[in-house]
Amino acid sequence: MARAAVRGRLTWQIAKVADVVDETARVRTLVLDVPDWPGHAAGQHLDVRLTAEDGYRAERSYSIASAPGEPLAITVERLDDGEVSPYLTEELRGGDALELRGPVGGYFVWDAVDGGPLLLVAGGSGIVPLRAILRHRRRTGSEVAVRLLYSSRSPGDVIYRSELAEPAGGVDVVQTLTREQPDGWTGYARRVDAALLGEVAWPAEQEPLAFVCGPTSFVETVASGLVALGYPPTRVKTERFGATGGR
Amino acid sequence: MDALDGNAIAGLLQDVFGNEMTTAGSVCGHCGDERPVAELVAYLRAPGTVVRCRTCASVLMVFVEVRGITCVDLNGLATLDPART
């Protein structure tokens, strides 16, 4: 059937959960098996749809955590008052079905040809699409210089912790833990502010490309901070996840 | 209700327009602000989906699903220009 090869209209399809990986106490990665998955770009997301027995439907979007070419995966944070995330992070098991459509999104994407240097700034679960970008960079052998600034509440909230502890060559990871730090912590210990950005961000003269993802207020603080540092607004890409999660 | 951005409606837009639209250029019909659709302010389940200008908050797009049909109101936009990528 040629349907999957046709660009344009999206169709909802049924995926099967191939594996589940707990990243933190509240965050789980779902590895998915999607028939005829057309591939995706780093930074894209997909839409998930749950239908209850009475026909009630809930749709949510989740960033793709895997690089193009890797098994498709999404990473989901459980929101206490969530309608969908508690099911995805606590109920869904390997072998279960999940309805989704995608990949979608053409703005918050990075490919090696887009160059750098790259500044990736993540608040909480905003790290998900940036991790796909990092993995894609490593898989393509790109030598673009990267700085990742990642804000989390506490050590237990750091998603992909072991992966980020050993970044690829050319990737500099800077963390800030805003509520609780381990003994001997040498990283930042406060919310990202203009001064912190000034210390971490590539100088504007290097013509960096920035990707900022996380809660809405976080993204807005960071994006305006980068513009104030001289980044052209067209070189600051933003993706807002809403008020909850990561703060 | 959380203020998101145009990225959050990428799937809806592709469903309605048949193409990737978050990189499309938008021009606000009220204040003339220009930016990619991805950077507009989006409210989901408003009820319906409401997209506003980031500068002046004017309503630019409204999407409401009624009995399986998506009703689209783009009156607030002066221009919607799909990118040539």
Side-chain angles (χ1 to χ4, degrees), chain B:
Chain B
M1 195 193 328
D2 294 345
L4 302 180
D5 56 36
N7 294 295
I9 58 168
L12 167 63
L13 292 174
Q14 185 152 345
D15 200 36
V16 166
F17 291 94
N19 230 322
E20 201 307 298
M21 290 296 281
T22 61
T23 47
S26 71
V27 178
C28 173
H30 184 73
C31 75
D33 183 65
E34 292 186 37
R35 65 183 63 247
V37 168
E39 295 177 7
L40 295 174
V41 184
Y43 298 91
L44 309 186
R45 302 180 284 282
T49 297
V50 177
V51 180
R52 290 182 178 269
C53 175
R54 188 162 288 285
T55 300
C56 76
S58 291
V59 173
L60 302 183
M61 300 191 266
V62 181
F63 303 87
V64 179
E65 191 179 313
V66 182
R67 290 187 293 279
I69 298 169
T70 302
C71 304
V72 180
D73 178 352
L74 306 178
N75 269 306
L77 285 170
T79 308
L80 182 62
D81 185 6
R84 304 193 186 288
T85 41

Side-chain angles (χ1 to χ4, degrees), chain A residues 225-243:
Chain A
L226 292 177
V227 169
L229 288 171
Y231 282 51
T234 52
R235 298 284 284 178
V236 180
K237 305 252 177 151
T238 50
E239 182 157 281
R240 295 162 180 79
F241 277 7

